[in-house]
Amino acid sequence: MSNSTIDLLKQHMSIRAFTDEPVSDEMIETIFTAAYAGPNFSNLQPVTFIEITDQQFKADISAQVGMSYIETATRFFVVTVDFNKDLIGLDDETRRQAEARLSNYSMLEGGVVSAGVALARAQVAAESLGLGCVTMAGAVGSFELYEERLHLPKFVKAVMGFSVGYPAQNPGIKPKLSLPGILMTDKYDQKQMEEAVKTYDDVMVKYYDKRGADNSWIRNNAKVLTRQEDLTPLSNYPVRKGFNLR
C-alpha cells in the first residue's frame, strides 16, 4: 500500500550540502505552520524554533560542534522546548505553582516529545517543497552559545538543530531496521530484536562497503556509545533551565 505522502516519508535523505539558491520566507512560513499543526503536550504548545541569520554565529556553532552544514545551510534553526510561553499572564501564586510543576522531569520529557513531533513534521513539509534538510541532536553541544546570544529565559531549553536549503547532494537512502526491529506484539521480544539487529547489521555492512567504509551498525553503535567525552555540562543543562531530573 502506498500514496504520495507515504512515498515521501520513505524517501527521506539527510542533506548536509546545500546550493546557494535562497529559501523564501513564504516557504519557511508554510513549513512551520504545517509543523505546528501537529499534536503536542496538553496543548501547552511547548516548542519554539529560533532562526539564526548571523553568518558568523552559524560559523561559531559549526566550529564548536563540528557540523559544517550549520554554517553552510541556507536557513538554520535552533529547536527549543519552551514552557516560558505557558507562564505568561499567570498571577504570582499561580505562576509559583506552575513553575513547581514544570520543574519535574516528566514535563521536560513532554516538551521534548512535542519538539520531536514538530521537527519531524517540519522535515516532511520541507521535503514536500523540494527542499533538503537535516536534524541534529549534536547541535545542542553549543548550548552555551545559545544561552549567551539567544537570551533564552528559564524553562526554554535548546534540544535540536535544523538546517534547511536546496540539496547540493544525493547521498542515497540509508537502510533502516526492518519491521521486526521496530514493531512487536503484546510484549518486548528480546530474541526477535536480536535476530532483527543481526539481519540489519548484515545489510549495513554491505551499505558501508559500497561507500568504501569498513563498518557495521553494531560497530558504529559501539563507537558512538563508548566515545570518550565529558557529557556532564550537557547533562546539567536541563537543571540550569529549571528542570529537575527526577
Side-chain angles (χ1 to χ4, degrees), residues 221-236:
N221 291 346
K223 180 174 67 175
V224 171
L225 296 175
T226 59
R227 185 179 298 148
Q228 297 301 306
E229 56 183 327
D230 183 9
L231 296 178
T232 304
L234 200 56
S235 297
N236 291 338

Side-chain angles (χ1 to χ4, degrees), residues 178-246:
S178 59
L179 278 177
I182 61 171
L183 180 64
M184 296 185 176
T185 303
D186 292 330
K187 66 181 180 67
Y188 191 97
D189 189 327
Q190 181 68 14
K191 182 178 180 181
Q192 174 183 322
M193 184 60 75
E194 289 175 358
E195 291 174 352
V197 168
K198 174 60 172 67
T199 298
Y200 179 60
D201 199 56
D202 292 340
V203 170
M204 290 304 289
V205 167
K206 296 174 184 176
Y207 171 83
Y208 284 120
D209 184 62
K210 287 181 179 178
R211 286 154 178 78
D214 180 17
N215 202 1
S216 76
W217 195 60
I218 292 173
R219 278 182 278 164
N220 191 67
N221 291 346
K223 180 174 67 175
V224 171
L225 296 175
T226 59
R227 185 179 298 148
Q228 297 301 306
E229 56 183 327
D230 183 9
L231 296 178
T232 304
L234 200 56
S235 297
N236 291 338
Y237 180 35
V239 179
R240 287 179 52 184
K241 300 308 297 183
F243 302 100
N244 291 317
L245 302 184
R246 58 181 170 83

Side-chain angles (χ1 to χ4, degrees), residues 13-19 69 132-134 165-172:
M13 293 179 283
S14 290
I15 300 299
R16 295 177 172 86
F18 304 95
T19 71
Y69 35 93
C133 53
V134 61
Y166 283 95
Q169 63 175 176
N170 186 345

Side-chain angles (χ1 to χ4, degrees), residues 93-112:
E93 176 56 23
T94 303
R95 184 184 179 106
R96 184 192 66 76
Q97 294 179 40
E99 288 196 6
R101 182 173 178 82
L102 283 173
S103 70
N104 288 279
Y105 171 73
S106 60
M107 300 298 289
L108 174 60
E109 191 174 65
V112 171

